[in-house]
Each structure stands twice: as structure tokens, then as C-alpha cells.
Coordinates of all heavy atoms in Angstrom, one line a residue:
M27 N -14.8 8.9 -16.4 CA -13.8 7.9 -16.2 C -14.3 6.7 -15.5 O -15.3 6.7 -14.8 CB -12.7 8.5 -15.3 CG -11.9 9.7 -16.0 SD -11.3 9.2 -17.6 CE -9.8 8.3 -17.1
E28 N -13.6 5.6 -15.7 CA -14.0 4.4 -15.0 C -13.7 4.4 -13.5 O -12.6 5.0 -13.1 CB -13.3 3.2 -15.6 CG -14.1 2.6 -16.8 CD -13.3 1.5 -17.5 OE1 -12.9 0.6 -16.8 OE2 -13.0 1.7 -18.7
S29 N -14.5 3.9 -12.7 CA -14.3 3.8 -11.3 C -13.1 2.9 -11.0 O -12.9 1.9 -11.6 CB -15.6 3.3 -10.6 OG -15.3 2.9 -9.3
Q30 N -12.4 3.3 -9.9 CA -11.3 2.5 -9.5 C -11.7 1.4 -8.6 O -10.9 0.5 -8.2 CB -10.2 3.3 -8.9 CG -9.6 4.3 -9.8 CD -8.2 4.7 -9.4 OE1 -7.8 4.5 -8.3 NE2 -7.5 5.3 -10.4
Y31 N -12.9 1.4 -8.2 CA -13.4 0.4 -7.3 C -13.6 -0.9 -8.0 O -14.1 -1.0 -9.1 CB -14.8 0.8 -6.7 CG -14.6 1.9 -5.6 CD1 -15.0 3.2 -5.8 CD2 -14.1 1.5 -4.4 CE1 -14.8 4.1 -4.9 CE2 -14.0 2.5 -3.4 CZ -14.3 3.8 -3.6 OH -14.2 4.7 -2.6
K32 N -13.1 -1.9 -7.3 CA -13.4 -3.3 -7.8 C -14.5 -3.9 -7.0 O -14.5 -3.9 -5.8 CB -12.1 -4.1 -7.6 CG -10.8 -3.5 -8.3 CD -10.8 -4.0 -9.7 CE -9.5 -3.6 -10.4 NZ -9.2 -2.2 -10.4
P33 N -15.4 -4.5 -7.6 CA -16.5 -5.2 -6.9 C -16.1 -6.5 -6.3 O -16.6 -7.5 -6.6 CB -17.6 -5.4 -8.0 CG -16.8 -5.5 -9.2 CD -15.6 -4.6 -9.1
S34 N -15.1 -6.3 -5.4 CA -14.5 -7.5 -4.7 C -15.2 -7.7 -3.4 O -15.6 -6.8 -2.7 CB -13.0 -7.3 -4.5 OG -12.6 -8.2 -3.6
S35 N -15.4 -9.0 -3.0 CA -16.1 -9.3 -1.8 C -15.3 -8.9 -0.6 O -15.9 -8.6 0.5 CB -16.4 -10.7 -1.7 OG -15.3 -11.5 -1.9
S36 N -14.0 -8.8 -0.7 CA -13.2 -8.5 0.5 C -13.1 -7.0 0.8 O -12.8 -6.7 1.9 CB -11.8 -9.1 0.3 OG -11.2 -8.4 -0.8
V37 N -13.5 -6.2 -0.1 CA -13.4 -4.8 0.1 C -14.7 -4.2 0.7 O -15.7 -4.3 0.0 CB -13.0 -4.0 -1.2 CG1 -13.0 -2.5 -0.9 CG2 -11.7 -4.5 -1.7
S38 N -14.7 -3.8 1.9 CA -15.9 -3.2 2.5 C -15.6 -1.9 3.1 O -15.8 -0.9 2.4 CB -16.5 -4.2 3.5 OG -15.5 -4.6 4.4
A39 N -15.0 -1.9 4.3 CA -14.6 -0.6 4.8 C -13.4 -0.2 4.1 O -12.3 -0.8 4.2 CB -14.4 -0.7 6.3
R40 N -13.4 1.0 3.4 CA -12.3 1.4 2.6 C -11.0 1.5 3.4 O -11.0 2.3 4.3 CB -12.7 2.7 1.9 CG -11.7 3.0 0.8 CD -12.0 4.3 0.2 NE -10.9 4.7 -0.7 CZ -10.7 6.0 -1.0 NH1 -11.4 6.9 -0.5 NH2 -9.7 6.2 -1.8
G41 N -10.0 0.8 3.0 CA -8.7 1.0 3.5 C -8.4 0.1 4.7 O -7.4 -0.5 4.8
K42 N -9.3 0.1 5.7 CA -9.0 -0.6 6.9 C -9.0 -2.1 6.8 O -8.4 -2.7 7.7 CB -10.1 -0.2 8.0 CG -9.9 1.2 8.5 CD -8.6 1.3 9.4 CE -8.4 2.7 9.9 NZ -7.2 2.8 10.7
S43 N -9.4 -2.6 5.7 CA -9.3 -4.1 5.5 C -7.9 -4.4 5.0 O -7.5 -5.5 4.8 CB -10.4 -4.6 4.6 OG -10.3 -3.9 3.4
D44 N -7.1 -3.4 4.7 CA -5.8 -3.5 4.1 C -4.9 -4.2 5.1 O -4.8 -3.7 6.3 CB -5.3 -2.1 3.8 CG -4.2 -2.2 2.7 OD1 -3.3 -3.0 3.0 OD2 -4.3 -1.5 1.7
P45 N -4.2 -5.3 4.7 CA -3.3 -6.0 5.7 C -2.1 -5.1 6.1 O -1.5 -5.3 7.1 CB -2.8 -7.1 4.8 CG -3.0 -6.8 3.4 CD -4.2 -5.9 3.4
A46 N -1.9 -4.0 5.4 CA -0.8 -3.2 5.8 C -1.0 -2.4 7.1 O -0.1 -2.0 7.8 CB -0.5 -2.1 4.7
W47 N -2.3 -2.3 7.5 CA -2.6 -1.6 8.7 C -2.1 -2.3 9.9 O -2.0 -1.7 11.0 CB -4.1 -1.4 8.8 CG -4.6 -0.3 7.9 CD1 -5.5 -0.5 6.9 CD2 -4.3 1.1 7.9 NE1 -5.7 0.7 6.3 CE2 -5.0 1.7 6.9 CE3 -3.5 1.8 8.7 CZ2 -4.9 3.0 6.6 CZ3 -3.3 3.2 8.5 CH2 -4.0 3.8 7.4
E48 N -1.8 -3.6 9.8 CA -1.2 -4.3 10.9 C 0.2 -3.7 11.3 O 0.7 -3.9 12.4 CB -1.0 -5.8 10.6 CG -2.3 -6.6 10.5 CD -2.0 -8.0 10.0 OE1 -1.0 -8.6 10.3 OE2 -2.9 -8.5 9.2
H49 N 0.8 -3.0 10.4 CA 2.2 -2.6 10.6 C 2.3 -1.1 10.5 O 3.4 -0.5 10.5 CB 3.1 -3.2 9.5 CG 2.8 -4.7 9.3 ND1 3.0 -5.6 10.3 CD2 2.2 -5.3 8.2 CE1 2.6 -6.8 9.8 NE2 2.2 -6.6 8.6
I50 N 1.2 -0.4 10.4 CA 1.2 1.0 10.2 C 0.2 1.7 11.1 O -1.0 1.2 11.2 CB 0.8 1.4 8.7 CG1 1.9 0.9 7.8 CG2 0.7 2.9 8.6 CD1 1.4 0.9 6.3
A51 N 0.6 2.7 11.8 CA -0.4 3.5 12.6 C -0.7 4.8 11.9 O 0.2 5.4 11.3 CB 0.3 3.8 14.0
L52 N -1.9 5.2 12.1 CA -2.4 6.4 11.4 C -2.8 7.4 12.5 O -3.6 7.1 13.4 CB -3.6 6.1 10.5 CG -4.2 7.4 9.8 CD1 -3.2 8.1 8.9 CD2 -5.4 6.9 9.0
S53 N -2.3 8.6 12.4 CA -2.7 9.7 13.3 C -2.9 11.0 12.5 O -2.5 11.0 11.3 CB -1.7 9.9 14.5 OG -0.4 10.1 13.9
T54 N -3.4 12.0 13.2 CA -3.6 13.2 12.5 C -2.9 14.3 13.2 O -3.0 14.5 14.4 CB -5.1 13.5 12.5 OG1 -5.8 12.4 11.9 CG2 -5.4 14.7 11.6
A55 N -2.1 15.0 12.4 CA -1.3 16.2 13.0 C -2.2 17.3 13.3 O -3.4 17.3 12.9 CB -0.2 16.6 12.0
A56 N -1.7 18.3 14.0 CA -2.4 19.5 14.5 C -3.0 20.2 13.3 O -4.1 20.8 13.4 CB -1.6 20.4 15.3
D57 N -2.3 20.2 12.2 CA -2.8 20.9 11.0 C -3.7 20.1 10.1 O -4.1 20.5 9.0 CB -1.6 21.5 10.2 CG -0.8 20.4 9.6 OD1 -1.0 19.2 9.9 OD2 0.2 20.7 8.9
G58 N -4.1 18.9 10.6 CA -5.0 18.1 9.9 C -4.4 17.1 8.9 O -5.0 16.3 8.3
T59 N -3.0 17.2 8.8 CA -2.3 16.2 7.9 C -2.3 14.8 8.5 O -2.2 14.7 9.7 CB -0.9 16.7 7.7 OG1 -0.8 18.1 7.4 CG2 -0.2 15.9 6.6
K60 N -2.6 13.9 7.6 CA -2.5 12.5 8.1 C -1.1 12.0 8.2 O -0.3 12.3 7.3 CB -3.3 11.6 7.1 CG -4.8 11.8 7.1 CD -5.5 10.5 7.0 CE -6.9 10.6 7.5 NZ -7.7 11.6 6.8
V61 N -0.8 11.4 9.3 CA 0.6 11.0 9.6 C 0.6 9.5 9.7 O -0.1 8.9 10.6 CB 1.2 11.6 10.9 CG1 2.6 11.1 11.1 CG2 1.1 13.1 10.8
Y62 N 1.3 8.8 8.8 CA 1.4 7.4 8.9 C 2.8 7.0 9.5 O 3.8 7.5 9.2 CB 1.4 6.8 7.5 CG 0.2 7.1 6.7 CD1 0.0 8.3 6.0 CD2 -0.9 6.2 6.6 CE1 -1.1 8.6 5.3 CE2 -2.0 6.5 5.9 CZ -2.1 7.7 5.3 OH -3.3 8.0 4.6
T63 N 2.7 6.1 10.5 CA 3.9 5.7 11.2 C 4.2 4.2 11.0 O 3.3 3.4 11.3 CB 3.8 6.0 12.7 OG1 3.4 7.3 12.9 CG2 5.1 5.7 13.5
C64 N 5.4 3.9 10.6 CA 5.8 2.5 10.4 C 6.0 1.9 11.8 O 6.8 2.5 12.6 CB 7.1 2.4 9.6 SG 7.8 0.8 9.6
L65 N 5.4 0.8 12.1 CA 5.5 0.3 13.5 C 6.8 -0.5 13.7 O 7.2 -0.8 14.8 CB 4.3 -0.7 13.8 CG 3.0 0.0 13.8 CD1 1.9 -1.0 14.1 CD2 2.9 1.2 14.8
F66 N 7.6 -0.7 12.6 CA 8.9 -1.4 12.7 C 10.0 -0.4 13.1 O 10.7 -0.6 14.0 CB 9.2 -2.1 11.4 CG 8.4 -3.3 11.2 CD1 7.3 -3.3 10.3 CD2 8.6 -4.5 11.9 CE1 6.5 -4.4 10.1 CE2 7.8 -5.6 11.7 CZ 6.8 -5.6 10.8
C67 N 10.1 0.7 12.3 CA 11.2 1.6 12.5 C 10.7 3.0 13.0 O 11.5 3.9 13.3 CB 12.0 1.8 11.2 SG 11.1 2.6 9.9
E68 N 9.4 3.1 13.2 CA 8.8 4.4 13.7 C 9.0 5.6 12.8 O 9.0 6.7 13.2 CB 9.3 4.7 15.1 CG 8.9 3.6 16.1 CD 9.2 3.9 17.5 OE1 10.0 4.8 17.7 OE2 8.7 3.2 18.4
K69 N 9.3 5.3 11.5 CA 9.4 6.3 10.6 C 8.0 7.0 10.3 O 7.0 6.2 10.2 CB 9.9 5.8 9.2 CG 10.0 6.8 8.1 CD 10.4 6.2 6.8 CE 10.4 7.2 5.7 NZ 11.5 8.2 5.8
E70 N 8.0 8.3 10.3 CA 6.7 9.0 10.1 C 6.6 9.5 8.7 O 7.6 10.1 8.2 CB 6.5 10.1 11.1 CG 6.3 9.6 12.5 CD 6.0 10.8 13.5 OE1 6.1 11.9 13.0 OE2 5.7 10.5 14.6
V71 N 5.5 9.3 8.0 CA 5.3 9.8 6.7 C 4.0 10.7 6.7 O 3.0 10.2 7.1 CB 5.1 8.7 5.7 CG1 4.8 9.3 4.3 CG2 6.4 7.9 5.6
R72 N 4.2 12.0 6.3 CA 3.1 12.9 6.3 C 2.4 12.9 4.9 O 3.1 13.1 3.9 CB 3.5 14.3 6.6 CG 3.8 14.4 8.1 CD 4.5 15.8 8.4 NE 4.3 16.1 9.8 CZ 3.5 16.9 10.3 NH1 2.7 17.6 9.5 NH2 3.4 17.2 11.6
G73 N 1.2 12.6 4.9 CA 0.4 12.6 3.6 C 0.9 11.5 2.7 O 1.7 10.6 3.0
G74 N 0.4 11.6 1.4 CA 0.9 10.6 0.4 C 0.2 9.3 0.4 O 0.2 8.6 -0.6
G75 N -0.5 8.9 1.5 CA -1.3 7.7 1.5 C -0.5 6.5 1.9 O 0.7 6.5 2.0
I76 N -1.3 5.5 2.2 CA -0.8 4.2 2.7 C 0.1 3.5 1.7 O 1.0 2.7 2.1 CB -1.9 3.3 3.2 CG1 -1.3 2.2 4.1 CG2 -2.8 2.8 2.1 CD1 -2.4 1.3 4.7
N77 N -0.1 3.8 0.5 CA 0.7 3.1 -0.5 C 2.2 3.4 -0.4 O 3.0 2.5 -0.7 CB 0.2 3.4 -1.9 CG -0.8 2.4 -2.4 OD1 -0.8 1.3 -2.0 ND2 -1.7 2.9 -3.2
R78 N 2.5 4.6 0.0 CA 3.9 4.9 0.2 C 4.5 4.1 1.4 O 5.7 3.7 1.3 CB 4.1 6.4 0.5 CG 4.1 7.2 -0.7 CD 4.3 8.7 -0.5 NE 5.7 9.0 -0.1 CZ 6.1 10.1 0.5 NH1 5.2 11.0 0.9 NH2 7.3 10.3 0.8
L79 N 3.7 3.9 2.4 CA 4.2 3.0 3.5 C 4.4 1.6 3.1 O 5.2 0.9 3.5 CB 3.2 3.1 4.7 CG 3.5 4.2 5.7 CD1 4.8 3.9 6.5 CD2 3.6 5.6 5.1
K80 N 3.5 1.2 2.2 CA 3.6 -0.2 1.7 C 4.9 -0.3 0.9 O 5.6 -1.4 1.0 CB 2.4 -0.5 0.7 CG 1.2 -0.9 1.5 CD 0.1 -1.3 0.5 CE -1.2 -1.0 1.1 NZ -2.2 -0.9 0.0
Q81 N 5.3 0.7 0.1 CA 6.5 0.6 -0.6 C 7.7 0.7 0.4 O 8.7 0.0 0.1 CB 6.6 1.8 -1.6 CG 5.7 1.7 -2.7 CD 5.6 3.0 -3.6 OE1 6.1 4.0 -3.2 NE2 4.8 2.9 -4.6
H82 N 7.5 1.4 1.5 CA 8.5 1.4 2.5 C 8.7 0.0 3.1 O 9.8 -0.5 3.3 CB 8.1 2.4 3.6 CG 8.9 2.4 4.8 ND1 10.2 2.9 4.9 CD2 8.6 1.9 6.1 CE1 10.6 2.7 6.2 NE2 9.7 2.2 6.9
L83 N 7.6 -0.6 3.4 CA 7.7 -2.0 4.0 C 8.2 -3.0 3.0 O 8.9 -3.9 3.4 CB 6.3 -2.4 4.5 CG 5.8 -1.6 5.8 CD1 4.3 -1.9 6.0 CD2 6.6 -2.0 7.0
A84 N 7.8 -2.8 1.8 CA 8.2 -3.8 0.7 C 9.6 -3.6 0.3 O 10.2 -4.4 -0.4 CB 7.2 -3.7 -0.4
G85 N 10.2 -2.4 0.7 CA 11.6 -2.1 0.3 C 11.7 -1.8 -1.2 O 12.7 -2.0 -1.8
I86 N 10.6 -1.2 -1.7 CA 10.6 -0.7 -3.1 C 11.2 0.7 -3.2 O 10.6 1.6 -2.6 CB 9.2 -0.8 -3.7 CG1 8.8 -2.3 -3.8 CG2 9.2 -0.2 -5.1 CD1 7.3 -2.5 -4.2
P87 N 12.3 0.9 -3.8 CA 12.8 2.2 -3.9 C 12.0 3.1 -4.8 O 11.3 2.7 -5.7 CB 14.2 2.0 -4.5 CG 14.1 0.8 -5.3 CD 13.1 -0.1 -4.6
G88 N 12.2 4.4 -4.6 CA 11.4 5.4 -5.4 C 11.0 6.6 -4.6 O 11.8 7.4 -4.2
S89 N 9.7 6.6 -4.2 CA 9.2 7.8 -3.5 C 9.5 7.7 -2.0 O 9.3 8.7 -1.3 CB 7.7 7.9 -3.7 OG 7.1 6.7 -3.2
I90 N 10.1 6.6 -1.5 CA 10.3 6.5 -0.1 C 11.5 5.5 0.2 O 11.7 4.7 -0.6 CB 9.0 6.0 0.6 CG1 9.1 6.2 2.1 CG2 8.7 4.6 0.3 CD1 7.8 6.2 2.8
T91 N 12.2 5.7 1.3 CA 13.3 4.8 1.6 C 12.7 3.5 2.1 O 11.6 3.4 2.7 CB 14.2 5.4 2.7 OG1 13.4 5.7 3.8 CG2 14.9 6.6 2.2
A92 N 13.5 2.4 2.0 CA 13.1 1.1 2.4 C 13.2 1.0 3.9 O 14.1 1.6 4.5 CB 13.9 0.0 1.7
C93 N 12.3 0.2 4.5 CA 12.4 0.0 5.9 C 13.5 -1.0 6.3 O 13.7 -2.0 5.6 CB 11.1 -0.6 6.4 SG 11.0 -0.8 8.2
K94 N 14.3 -0.6 7.3 CA 15.5 -1.4 7.6 C 15.1 -2.4 8.8 O 15.9 -3.3 9.1 CB 16.6 -0.5 8.1 CG 17.2 0.2 6.9 CD 18.3 1.1 7.3 CE 19.0 1.7 6.0 NZ 19.3 3.1 6.2
K95 N 14.0 -2.3 9.4 CA 13.6 -3.2 10.5 C 12.5 -4.1 10.2 O 12.1 -4.9 11.1 CB 13.3 -2.3 11.7 CG 14.5 -1.5 12.2 CD 14.2 -0.8 13.5 CE 15.4 -0.1 14.0 NZ 15.2 0.7 15.2
V96 N 11.9 -4.0 9.1 CA 10.8 -4.9 8.8 C 11.1 -6.4 8.7 O 12.2 -6.7 8.3 CB 10.1 -4.4 7.4 CG1 11.1 -4.7 6.3 CG2 8.8 -5.1 7.2
D97 N 10.2 -7.2 9.2 CA 10.4 -8.7 9.1 C 10.5 -9.1 7.6 O 9.8 -8.5 6.8 CB 9.2 -9.4 9.7 CG 9.2 -9.3 11.2 OD1 10.2 -8.9 11.8 OD2 8.2 -9.6 11.8
H98 N 11.2 -10.1 7.3 CA 11.3 -10.6 6.0 C 9.9 -11.0 5.5 O 9.6 -10.8 4.3 CB 12.3 -11.8 5.9 CG 13.7 -11.4 6.1 ND1 14.4 -10.7 5.2 CD2 14.5 -11.7 7.1 CE1 15.6 -10.5 5.7 NE2 15.7 -11.1 6.8
D99 N 9.2 -11.7 6.4 CA 7.9 -12.2 6.0 C 7.0 -11.0 5.6 O 6.3 -11.1 4.6 CB 7.4 -12.9 7.3 CG 6.1 -13.6 7.0 OD1 6.0 -14.3 5.9 OD2 5.1 -13.5 7.8
V100 N 7.0 -10.0 6.4 CA 6.1 -8.8 6.1 C 6.6 -8.1 4.8 O 5.7 -7.8 3.9 CB 6.2 -7.8 7.2 CG1 5.4 -6.5 6.9 CG2 5.6 -8.4 8.5
R101 N 7.9 -8.0 4.6 CA 8.4 -7.4 3.4 C 7.9 -8.2 2.2 O 7.5 -7.6 1.2 CB 9.9 -7.3 3.4 CG 10.4 -6.8 2.1 CD 11.7 -6.1 2.3 NE 12.8 -6.9 2.8 CZ 14.0 -6.5 3.1 NH1 14.3 -5.3 3.1 NH2 14.9 -7.4 3.6
Y102 N 8.0 -9.5 2.3 CA 7.5 -10.4 1.2 C 6.1 -10.2 0.9 O 5.6 -10.0 -0.2 CB 7.8 -11.8 1.5 CG 7.4 -12.8 0.4 CD1 8.1 -12.9 -0.7 CD2 6.2 -13.5 0.6 CE1 7.7 -13.8 -1.7 CE2 5.8 -14.4 -0.4 CZ 6.5 -14.5 -1.5 OH 6.1 -15.4 -2.5
R103 N 5.3 -10.2 2.0 CA 3.8 -10.0 1.8 C 3.5 -8.7 1.2 O 2.6 -8.6 0.3 CB 3.1 -10.2 3.1 CG 2.6 -11.6 3.4 CD 2.3 -11.9 4.8 NE 1.3 -10.9 5.3 CZ 1.1 -10.7 6.6 NH1 1.8 -11.3 7.5 NH2 0.1 -9.9 7.0
M104 N 4.1 -7.6 1.6 CA 3.8 -6.3 1.1 C 4.2 -6.2 -0.4 O 3.5 -5.6 -1.2 CB 4.6 -5.2 1.9 CG 3.9 -5.0 3.2 SD 2.2 -4.5 3.1 CE 1.5 -5.6 4.3
S105 N 5.4 -6.8 -0.8 CA 5.8 -6.7 -2.2 C 4.8 -7.5 -3.1 O 4.4 -7.1 -4.2 CB 7.2 -7.2 -2.4 OG 7.4 -8.5 -2.0
E106 N 4.4 -8.7 -2.5 CA 3.4 -9.5 -3.3 C 2.1 -8.7 -3.4 O 1.4 -8.7 -4.5 CB 3.1 -10.8 -2.5 CG 4.2 -11.8 -2.6 CD 4.5 -12.2 -4.1 OE1 3.6 -12.8 -4.7 OE2 5.6 -11.9 -4.6
Y107 N 1.7 -8.0 -2.4 CA 0.5 -7.2 -2.4 C 0.5 -6.1 -3.4 O -0.4 -5.9 -4.1 CB 0.3 -6.7 -1.0 CG -1.1 -6.1 -0.7 CD1 -2.2 -7.0 -0.6 CD2 -1.3 -4.7 -0.6 CE1 -3.4 -6.4 -0.4 CE2 -2.5 -4.2 -0.4 CZ -3.6 -5.1 -0.3 OH -4.8 -4.5 -0.1
L108 N 1.7 -5.4 -3.4 CA 1.8 -4.3 -4.4 C 1.8 -4.9 -5.8 O 1.3 -4.2 -6.7 CB 3.1 -3.5 -4.1 CG 3.0 -2.6 -2.9 CD1 4.4 -2.1 -2.5 CD2 2.1 -1.5 -3.1
K109 N 2.4 -6.0 -6.0 CA 2.5 -6.6 -7.4 C 1.1 -7.0 -7.8 O 0.7 -6.8 -9.0 CB 3.3 -7.9 -7.3 CG 4.7 -7.8 -7.8 CD 5.3 -9.1 -8.0 CE 6.5 -9.3 -7.0 NZ 6.9 -10.7 -6.8
E110 N 0.3 -7.5 -6.9 CA -1.1 -7.8 -7.2 C -1.9 -6.6 -7.6 O -2.6 -6.7 -8.6 CB -1.7 -8.4 -5.9 CG -2.9 -9.3 -6.2 CD -3.4 -9.8 -4.9 OE1 -2.8 -10.7 -4.3 OE2 -4.5 -9.4 -4.4
I111 N -1.7 -5.5 -6.9 CA -2.4 -4.3 -7.3 C -2.0 -3.8 -8.7 O -2.9 -3.6 -9.5 CB -2.1 -3.2 -6.3 CG1 -2.7 -3.6 -4.9 CG2 -2.7 -1.8 -6.8 CD1 -2.3 -2.7 -3.8
S112 N -0.7 -3.8 -9.0 CA -0.3 -3.3 -10.3 C -0.6 -4.3 -11.4 O -0.9 -3.9 -12.5 CB 1.2 -3.0 -10.3 OG 2.0 -4.2 -10.0
G113 N -0.7 -5.6 -11.0 CA -1.1 -6.6 -12.0 C -2.5 -6.4 -12.4 O -2.8 -6.5 -13.6
K114 N -3.4 -6.1 -11.5 CA -4.8 -5.9 -11.8 C -4.9 -4.6 -12.7 O -5.7 -4.6 -13.6 CB -5.5 -5.6 -10.5 CG -6.0 -7.0 -9.9 CD -6.8 -6.7 -8.6 CE -7.0 -8.1 -7.9 NZ -7.4 -7.9 -6.5
K115 N -4.2 -3.6 -12.4 CA -4.3 -2.4 -13.2 C -3.9 -2.7 -14.7 O -4.5 -2.2 -15.6 CB -3.3 -1.3 -12.7 CG -4.0 -0.5 -11.6 CD -3.1 0.6 -11.1 CE -3.7 1.2 -9.8 NZ -2.7 1.9 -9.1
K116 N -2.8 -3.5 -14.8 CA -2.3 -3.8 -16.2 C -3.4 -4.6 -16.9 O -3.7 -4.3 -18.1 CB -1.1 -4.7 -16.0 CG 0.2 -3.9 -16.4 CD 1.4 -4.8 -16.3 CE 2.5 -4.1 -15.5 NZ 3.5 -4.9 -14.9
E117 N -4.0 -5.6 -16.2 CA -5.0 -6.4 -16.9 C -6.1 -5.5 -17.4 O -6.6 -5.7 -18.6 CB -5.6 -7.3 -15.9 CG -5.0 -8.7 -15.9 CD -5.6 -9.6 -14.7 OE1 -6.8 -9.5 -14.5 OE2 -4.8 -10.2 -14.1
A118 N -6.5 -4.5 -16.7 CA -7.6 -3.7 -17.1 C -7.2 -2.9 -18.3 O -8.0 -2.7 -19.2 CB -8.0 -2.7 -15.9
S119 N -6.0 -2.4 -18.4 CA -5.6 -1.6 -19.5 C -5.4 -2.4 -20.8 O -5.7 -2.0 -21.9 CB -4.4 -0.7 -19.2 OG -3.3 -1.6 -19.0
I120 N -5.0 -3.7 -20.6 CA -4.8 -4.6 -21.7 C -6.2 -4.9 -22.3 O -6.4 -4.9 -23.5 CB -4.1 -5.9 -21.3 CG1 -2.6 -5.6 -21.0 CG2 -4.3 -7.0 -22.3 CD1 -1.9 -6.7 -20.3
A121 N -7.2 -5.2 -21.4 CA -8.5 -5.5 -21.9 C -9.1 -4.3 -22.7 O -9.7 -4.5 -23.7 CB -9.4 -5.7 -20.7
K122 N -8.8 -3.1 -22.2 CA -9.3 -1.9 -23.0 C -8.6 -1.8 -24.3 O -9.3 -1.6 -25.3 CB -9.0 -0.7 -22.1 CG -10.2 0.1 -21.7 CD -9.8 1.4 -21.1 CE -9.9 1.3 -19.6 NZ -9.4 2.5 -18.9
R123 N -7.3 -2.1 -24.4 CA -6.6 -1.9 -25.6 C -7.0 -2.9 -26.7 O -7.1 -2.6 -27.8 CB -5.1 -2.1 -25.3 CG -4.2 -1.1 -26.1 CD -2.8 -1.3 -25.8 NE -2.4 -0.8 -24.4 CZ -1.4 -1.3 -23.8 NH1 -0.6 -2.2 -24.3 NH2 -1.1 -0.8 -22.6
R124 N -7.3 -4.1 -26.2 CA -7.7 -5.2 -27.1 C -9.0 -4.8 -27.8 O -9.1 -5.1 -29.0 CB -7.9 -6.5 -26.3 CG -7.8 -7.7 -27.1 CD -8.0 -9.0 -26.2 NE -6.9 -9.3 -25.4 CZ -6.9 -10.0 -24.3 NH1 -8.1 -10.5 -23.9 NH2 -5.9 -10.3 -23.6
F125 N -9.8 -4.2 -27.1 CA -11.1 -3.8 -27.7 C -10.9 -2.5 -28.6 O -11.0 -2.5 -29.8 CB -12.1 -3.4 -26.6 CG -13.5 -3.2 -27.2 CD1 -14.2 -4.2 -27.7 CD2 -14.0 -1.9 -27.2 CE1 -15.5 -4.0 -28.2 CE2 -15.3 -1.6 -27.7 CZ -16.0 -2.7 -28.2
Ligands
ZN6 ZN1 9.8 1.1 8.7

């Protein structure tokens, strides 16, 4: 399978360069589960990855409830960020299909 890594200059330390970390705290539960905490509403999410917290911050319904305390500015940035990610994925599959 193709690697999901993009040879982008901004990606170095995996994950921690993500702007979402400004609004999310990561801790580890006693059983080793990663626990993500929204710094706006203090909602805790066990497992699932940071993308679920981004959906929470962006107010995208689906796998998680929307944050009720997030700044408008942050919500906008997170939704733009998620759009960017899904846009890149689409581009890649279109390129493949064309060939
Ligand atoms: Zn929240």
C-alpha cells in the first residue's frame, strides 16, 4: 500500500506539530489508554486519536459531539484544517483513478 506520509516540510515530529495540540491535552490512563482532553470544555476522549478531538473542536457531527465552549476562531481553523486533510486525500485518489 501507499504510504500515508506526505513529504511535506512542515511535518517533522509526528503529531506534535499539529495546531490542534494548542487546545488538546494528552495524558495516559492507568491501563495505558491515551486520554485526550479538550481544553475548552474539559471533555475527555479515550482512544480514537486526535482527529476525533478535531471534529469535536470543529463542531463536525458524527463520531463525537461538538464542543460548546470552543472559540469561533478555533472552530473555524479546525474545520479548515480537516477540510484540507480530506481534500488532499481526494486529490490522491483522483490522480490514481485518472491513470
Ligand atoms: Zn470541547
Side-chain angles (χ1 to χ4, degrees):
M27 295 306 283
E28 271 176 57
S29 166
Q30 296 207 342
Y31 282 106
K32 302 273 187 302
S34 164
S35 56
S36 63
V37 178
S38 51
R40 192 186 170 203
K42 284 290 177 186
S43 59
D44 200 311
W47 286 117
E48 287 173 37
H49 318 293
I50 297 164
L52 176 63
S53 54
T54 308
D57 62 359
T59 311
K60 290 221 160 58
V61 180
Y62 300 85
T63 307
C64 171
L65 297 182
F66 289 101
C67 68
E68 297 185 346
K69 180 185 177 65
E70 288 186 355
V71 175
R72 285 170 163 258
I76 192 174
N77 270 331
R78 279 182 74 198
L79 266 294
K80 281 183 209 162
Q81 289 171 353
H82 169 74
L83 290 170
I86 295 171
S89 58
I90 194 162
T91 56
C93 187
K94 288 181 176 140
K95 293 189 178 177
V96 66
D97 288 346
H98 291 294
D99 187 46
V100 173
R101 175 150 62 188
Y102 178 78
R103 264 166 56 200
M104 285 303 129
S105 62
E106 286 299 297
Y107 192 72
L108 286 168
K109 261 189 246 166
E110 201 178 290
I111 293 169
S112 61
K114 271 179 193 164
K115 275 185 193 157
K116 255 179 228 161
E117 264 172 43
S119 64
I120 286 167
K122 240 187 255 172
R123 220 179 285 159
R124 202 180 283 160
F125 186 71

